[in-house]
Amino acid sequence: MGEELATSHLGALAYDPAPESAAIARLHESYGIFVDGAFTDPAQHAQLLTLNPATGSGLAHVAMGSASDVDLAVASARRAFDTTWSRMRGAERAKYLFRIARLIQERARELAVVETLDNGKPIRESRDIDVPLAAAHFFYYAGWADKLEHAGFGAHPRPLGVAGQIIPWNFPLLMAAWKLAPALAAGNTCVLKPAETTPLSALVLAEILQQAELPPGVVNIVTGDGTTGAALVEHAGVDKIAFTGSTEVGRVIQRRANAAGKRVSLELGGKGANIVFEDAPIDEMIEGIVDGIFFNQGHVCCAGSRLLVQENVADEVLRRLLRRVDQLRVGDPLDKNTDVGAINSAEQLAKITELVETGEAEGATRHTSSCALPSEGFWFAPTVFSQVSSTQRIAREEIFGPVLSVLTFRTPDEAVAKANDTTYGLACGVWSEKGSRTLWVAERLRAGVVWANTYNRFDPASPFGGVKESGFGREGGRHGLEAYLDE
Amino acid sequence: MSERVGVAKTYKLVLNGAFVRSESGRVYEVLDHAGRFWANVAEASRKDVRDAVVAARAAQARWWSLSAYNRAQVIFRLAEMAEARRDELAEHVQRAEGRDAPAARECVARGIDRIVWYAGWADKLAQVLGGANAVAGPFFNFSLPTPSGVVAVICAQDSSFEAFVDAALAPLCAGNAVVALASEARPTPGLLLGEMSVTSDLPGGVLNVLSGRVGSVGASLASHEDVDGIDLDGAGDRAGELSVLAAGSIKRVRQPGTDFAANSTARLRSFVETATVWHTVGR
């Protein structure tokens, strides 16, 4: 039966298109910076064009924020911190955050379409994961705003001041929520710098902040590129820098923030190991591996990009895995049937392509999904490498794309050793029906998060963040408050 | 043109998500603070108490099976409902307690903010009251706060809304189902909140609100074998007698008159159990 299925025409089954309407996004032609509660033109009137990665065509123009725009935003945040937000009772701050959560829920469909257009991720994911989790994050931290003394970070916790927050393009709205919600709950004010290629959902969020009547200046949003982010990091009026992005940029940011005496938290890259023991429940495990690496096109810092399989089941797991990967539906991100969407940018596509080429050159065996790829836009077919060794670049470097490297191990000790053989330490998965061994392995993995018999689970109540060069500081849960509180 | 005649309202018990008269057919007169007739409210009987406890027991399982996030949202929804009927609640508090209008409005505002405060607790209790325990052996050991089950609340007699909210919402937020006896002489604000709970996605039976006599209803609740805990906030000088009855089935008892800070979790902790799990760790 298994073999028949593997060679059947399941992968070629025809689906009728089920596209969500792009018009729901209600995009404007251009957006300014959001400072002091209002959209204003950037000082130098420079703009960026943000693209739909699924077509390569332009969606909207956004401000290319300069150092003087950052300066205005920080001044606005400082004013709001001094005059309103830090003085407001936690119970009142809470009600603003609850409003934001409710407004995100109310405008969920619009936000999902905006996110999918700007990022390229499947609408199924933006609709069911990104947007609901963003709302949940505000809802959760709203509840902390008047309970800070119960969080375990001192009897009289105080906010840090103005937080400069720089977020990546892989989960644009969700990362904005992860940054803003705990900072605001703790009484800080914020200057948020969305990613260069995905600024739009943060700008819809700015409209939501207006609808919530959040006091002006409490949140300021300055779009732009790396220079905008650098201006924020360098700004003397910023007390804390929170960054999510690559380890390479994180290093630079930490250096500068340390030199300036700023508080800093970093959520950086990863090379997560998904460890499969011989007794793992196979159907759930195959789904979990696929979800672990192909969720969000693999643009996930905690992606399970290394599959470590116990040697005696490796052939069977690989066979089942390849069959499943071949059935992934790659294409129009707005189509509700799509599993894997577009690569976010030409730059990222080039990086993935380059690393995949080294995989072949270094002798790993490449398996590529037979799916057809659209002719316009940025696309990469789901790819699995077997016969990978720990020294190859595809086993060591973060690819940040739909590419899985499969390695094998024999004993639990070897699994732990191989999983930990990386400069990163963000997340790992363990698949086994034997709970005691899973916990034994989990205790020895040097990772901030370990998922057992599941992968890529996120919840506002659960802390997330890395060890080693995956960064420090936690987002989510009670622990997430610590990054924004002083004792 | 003659003046419009107002529509008078009949106050009923809030039981299992429905509004019912007492099965006994009994009512008692409620007077406003100036001693004028206000309403004939249902006088809950021993049978009404039993019905409420049956409903609460069934509802508790459903309530606790929801995610904590979902419970938080439902409690927050109750605050949204109460906010929309703020003026009505303030009129009732004013009329029941004899406060002036601004004081009554403030009292209601504090009560609604308290609902919001509790909404936020629903998904944080586990992090604050629970945790991993560093046992000396190859075990992963953790403790979680779980609800006691069905909690009876004898609500404060003087503070008809604010204290009602605090006493009824604390056990609810921890995952318990509640049978609340509103202030005997000032029951309408509590009954109103019960009405709002029916339109706030709270599963029927999670919050039951009774009006009646502290003596008889209190005794029925305190001696009921299927009630797991009782808050004697408004039991006054009957608290001793009721707490003795409560010992019959080893109920968790919260005695009246304990003053605590506004941000204290003392009331929240009153009807929470600690469930500890041991799991082996080994290759």
Side-chain angles (χ1 to χ4, degrees), chain A residues 377-423:
Chain A
F378 317 126
W379 300 90
F380 199 89
T383 299
V384 176
F385 278 104
S386 58
Q387 311 291 324
V388 177
S389 79
S390 293
T391 53
Q392 291 168 353
R393 283 184 69 192
I394 53 168
R396 309 205 68 79
E397 295 181 30
E398 185 178 40
I399 300 173
F400 223 65
V403 182
L404 177 66
S405 300
V406 183
L407 298 86
T408 58
F409 69 89
R410 287 182 183 170
T411 65
D413 294 272
E414 192 189 349
V416 169
K418 281 191 164 164
N420 288 340
D421 180 19
T422 168
T423 55

Side-chain angles (χ1 to χ4, degrees), chain A residues 56 143 221:
Chain A
I221 300 176

